[in-house]
Amino acid sequence: MGKLQPLHRYLAAFAVTAALALPAATAAQDQVVHKGHAIAMHGEPKYGPDVPYFDYVNPNAPKGGTLTLSADGTFDTFNPFNAKGTAGAGAGISVETLLTHGDDEAFTKYGLLAETMEWPEDRSWIIFHLNPKARWHDGEPVTAEDVIFSFNILVEKGHPQYRFYYQSVTGVEKLDERSVKFTFQTGENRELPLIMGELPVLPKHYWENRDFTATTLEPPLGSGPYRIKSFEPGRFVEVERVKDYWGENIPVRVGTDNYDTIRYEYFLDRTIIRQALKAGQIDYFQENSAKEWATQYNIPAVDAGVLHKQRILDKSSGGMQAFYMNLRRDLFKDPQVRRALAYAFDFQWTNKTVYYGQYEQPASFFAPTELASTGLPQGEELEILERYRGRIPDEVFTTPYQPPATDGSGWPRDNLLKALDILEQAGWVVRDMKLVNAETGQRFSFEFLYQDQAQERVLLPFFFNLRRLGIEVRPRLADTSQYINRVRARDFDMMIIPTAQSLSPGNEQREYWGSAAADQPSSRNYAGIKNPVIDELIELVISAPTRESLIQRTRALDRVLLWGHYVIPQLMAPFDRILYWDKFGRPERVPLQGPDVLRWWIDPEKAATLTARRRSAGAAQEGS
């Protein structure tokens, strides 16, 4: 999956030698310089330079028709690259990157705007050679100047994540009209060339006279297969396929982008979206609610196989959804206080009663992948952790991490008694049914920020248990804009955050857990973690020389994060729940990264049959 922007899917790369039908590797500064169309994080790419398309697409998929998707809330900008406003659906659809991801590989990048690249054995720099066919939608060529401008404006004026992501870049230079060289800090960071391949490339001649830091409803100029055609804030965004798209026949685009039009319909919330799906107003929907999945789709269209309901195993990533505590608040600075609060969340009862038994409670930030720490540390993982003995919790070495568990009865008495015992040791006592600081008398009180009223089914029982401990919890339901602004400003005490992890963790871990990101507005270090050991473990993950070493180093990081009690693990769902009307053709293979509706296509025969059935059903209703 793309590690920087969730909306973008990228393809990956490999080191080539003279054994392939490409220029031979050359020596430079006593190093082998690799030249090729792709680059892999570890090992070699799956697809060679002569492969015409990926295995998980249909190269003969017909083009045409309209795909209708949903969005909730509203939007006020088409610039998704700064930290202002709420970006509209499809806001980044016309923007392309230098490289793109191979979806049946952990982390490999293939040429998109860049046709080929060069890099040395130590990966201390990379040169991208742009495809001479690459064009902006106004016909102007994509140039090295555009790449350099994009890097500079994103770092200087873009979302803070870009400053973290590209902080190891020490130089960027134009070699010729279509060649750009990025140079990196010395050290072992094999991921940097691939990260630079994720750079969104923006047109200099369009943006240089516009305010990049502002919100805008002017659809920006791009180079991709789609562009925004029409829109109305709060109602819809419609994008159209670019008929003369420059990259239609390059291998990474063959079999994709098959719809003439993609329309995003806006609705107030997901409850209304579900009704719109069942009414046939949208074509495809990914369900995120266990309750709705279990109860809302027992309808004739599903029984008849006209509306498909599928649960697909997700092997592409790990991660967890959790209650994040804001360590910038004095209340949550003590790890024992954070540990105690976890005993108030009754996952077993919640899963049985609210989630219909569909979820698991994660015991890792990287579950359920091979990157997750399990049991006790061994081998390289143990060797790494031994360096920090005395600076990390002793439990790291003695106790496999597991979140508190209950019997699922709904009365977690033993857990609440355990929580009170831990809180008392941390200096909190119950007086007059209120938990207060033993020295100051300060009430233990905090606000829980959330944006989806449906989450109250989970939150209210959690709040009830906290109140049993004498804790005052103040629920705060915010609308989308308020929620986004408060999260960006770190104006919260506790909230629900889903954290996804790729199969190849690296530089993005700095933004998730690194000290430098803790006080940076809009970073993804929501908890505000500042821990020198974690900073060092992150750098070890980034510098892992092999896949096996990456696994061991990631497990060490995972274990220290878990025993820091920065979050209360809530759930994980190792599958995707999708619903779609029977009008699509689909590739035979589902890749490692999961299904992607943008690789599907409208099947004319199925679409005609579906239309006829709907008309027949409508006529029957009118006659009844």
Side-chain angles (χ1 to χ4, degrees), residues 512-531:
Y512 285 155
W513 326 112
S515 297
D519 295 326
Q520 179 65 53
S522 300
S523 79
R524 289 183 284 185
N525 187 345
Y526 300 105
I529 298 170
K530 290 183 177 180
N531 185 317

Side-chain angles (χ1 to χ4, degrees), residues 43-74:
E44 295 187 355
K46 175 179 179 179
Y47 299 97
D50 299 322
V51 174
Y53 52 84
F54 293 123
D55 290 347
Y56 47 84
V57 302
N58 175 9
N60 301 312
K63 306 283 188 182
T66 296
L67 169 67
T68 303
L69 301 174
S70 62
D72 60 289
T74 188

Side-chain angles (χ1 to χ4, degrees), residues 153-195:
I153 201 167
L154 288 169
V155 169
E156 295 168 8
K157 299 181 178 181
H159 193 287
Q161 68 181 18
Y162 294 108
R163 287 189 283 281
F164 285 105
Y165 223 47
Y166 301 138
Q167 64 182 297
S168 297
V169 178
T170 59
V172 53
E173 59 182 307
K174 173 183 174 182
L175 303 183
D176 58 44
E177 283 303 306
R178 293 199 302 270
S179 300
V180 180
K181 181 178 181 179
F182 289 92
T183 304
F184 311 123
Q185 290 177 357
T186 57
E188 298 175 354
N189 194 330
R190 293 178 52 82
E191 192 181 39
L192 284 173
L194 289 82
I195 286 176

Side-chain angles (χ1 to χ4, degrees), residues 106-398:
F107 193 26
T108 302
K109 297 284 182 182
Y110 294 87
L112 181 54
L113 285 173
E115 185 176 39
T116 60
M117 64 211 83
E118 303 175 42
W119 66 95
E121 187 68 29
D122 67 359
R123 301 195 178 192
S124 59
W125 52 263
I126 187 168
I127 297 172
F128 295 102
H129 300 289
L130 297 175
N131 193 314
K133 298 177 182 178
R135 292 289 185 276
W136 301 109
H137 293 156
D138 63 1
E140 291 294 315
V142 179
T143 68
E145 291 284 351
D146 293 316
V147 176
I148 295 171
F149 171 83
S150 301
F151 173 79
N152 289 333
I153 201 167
L154 288 169
V155 169
E156 295 168 8
K157 299 181 178 181
H159 193 287
Q161 68 181 18
Y162 294 108
R163 287 189 283 281
F164 285 105
Y165 223 47
Y166 301 138
Q167 64 182 297
S168 297
V169 178
T170 59
V172 53
E173 59 182 307
K174 173 183 174 182
L175 303 183
D176 58 44
E177 283 303 306
R178 293 199 302 270
S179 300
V180 180
K181 181 178 181 179
F182 289 92
T183 304
F184 311 123
Q185 290 177 357
T186 57
E188 298 175 354
N189 194 330
R190 293 178 52 82
E191 192 181 39
L192 284 173
L194 289 82
I195 286 176
M196 293 317 306
E198 296 178 346
L199 178 73
V201 180
L202 309 171
K204 178 181 179 180
H205 66 284
Y206 176 87
W207 280 110
E208 63 182 344
N209 295 317
R210 289 174 167 84
D211 184 359
F212 191 77
T213 65
T215 60
T216 178
L217 286 175
E218 176 187 5
L221 179 68
S223 63
Y226 288 97
R227 60 186 163 203
I228 295 172
K229 176 183 178 182
S230 58
F231 66 92
E232 187 174 331
R235 290 196 59 198
F236 74 91
V237 176
E238 190 168 279
V239 303
E240 63 180 354
R241 188 159 57 86
V242 178
K243 301 300 182 184
D244 58 349
Y245 169 54
W246 73 270
E248 182 174 359
N249 295 316
I250 63 174
V252 299
R253 289 297 196 195
V254 172
T256 69
D257 314 312
N258 299 316
Y259 310 103
D260 282 346
T261 303
I262 303 174
R263 184 179 176 92
Y264 301 91
E265 292 282 359
Y266 271 79
F267 300 90
L268 181 63
D269 56 39
R270 293 178 73 86
T271 299
I272 302 174
I273 290 175
R274 294 181 184 102
Q275 299 306 315
L277 171 72
K278 290 185 277 189
Q281 296 175 22
I282 59 176
D283 297 323
Y284 175 97
F285 181 61
Q286 188 160 333
E287 181 57 78
N288 67 352
S289 167
K291 177 186 177 183
E292 307 304 330
W293 181 258
T295 64
Q296 287 296 310
Y297 303 107
N298 299 317
I299 58 176
V302 173
D303 294 338
V306 180
L307 178 60
H308 294 286
K309 178 186 177 188
Q310 292 187 350
R311 198 169 84 161
I312 300 174
L313 183 65
D314 182 3
K315 299 178 288 186
S316 67
S317 62
M320 71 162 74
Q321 182 166 298
F323 303 139
Y324 274 66
M325 291 163 275
N326 189 348
L327 274 64
R328 303 168 189 87
R329 305 287 202 253
D330 289 340
L331 190 65
F332 298 118
K333 290 188 182 299
D334 187 339
Q336 291 308 306
V337 169
R338 302 194 298 267
R339 176 189 170 211
L341 298 184
Y343 283 90
F345 177 55
D346 188 345
F347 171 79
Q348 283 69 31
W349 179 87
T350 301
N351 191 42
K352 178 177 64 176
T353 308
V354 178
Y355 294 145
Y356 293 79
Q358 294 187 45
Y359 292 127
E360 300 172 26
Q361 188 175 26
S364 167
F365 286 96
F366 299 87
T369 72
E370 63 183 352
L371 300 162
S373 59
T374 58
L376 294 177
Q378 300 178 15
E380 183 183 353
E381 181 192 357
L382 179 58
E383 292 176 9
I384 292 169
L385 292 171
E386 284 287 359
R387 304 174 198 172
Y388 305 105
R389 189 182 284 272
R391 298 172 61 193
I392 56 179
D394 291 339
E395 292 91 341
V396 165
F397 302 97
T398 63

Side-chain angles (χ1 to χ4, degrees), residues 89-111:
I93 202 166
S94 67
V95 178
E96 294 186 300
T97 50
L98 291 165
L99 307 177
T100 189
H101 200 79
D103 277 6
D104 50 357
E105 300 166 83
F107 193 26
T108 302
K109 297 284 182 182
Y110 294 87

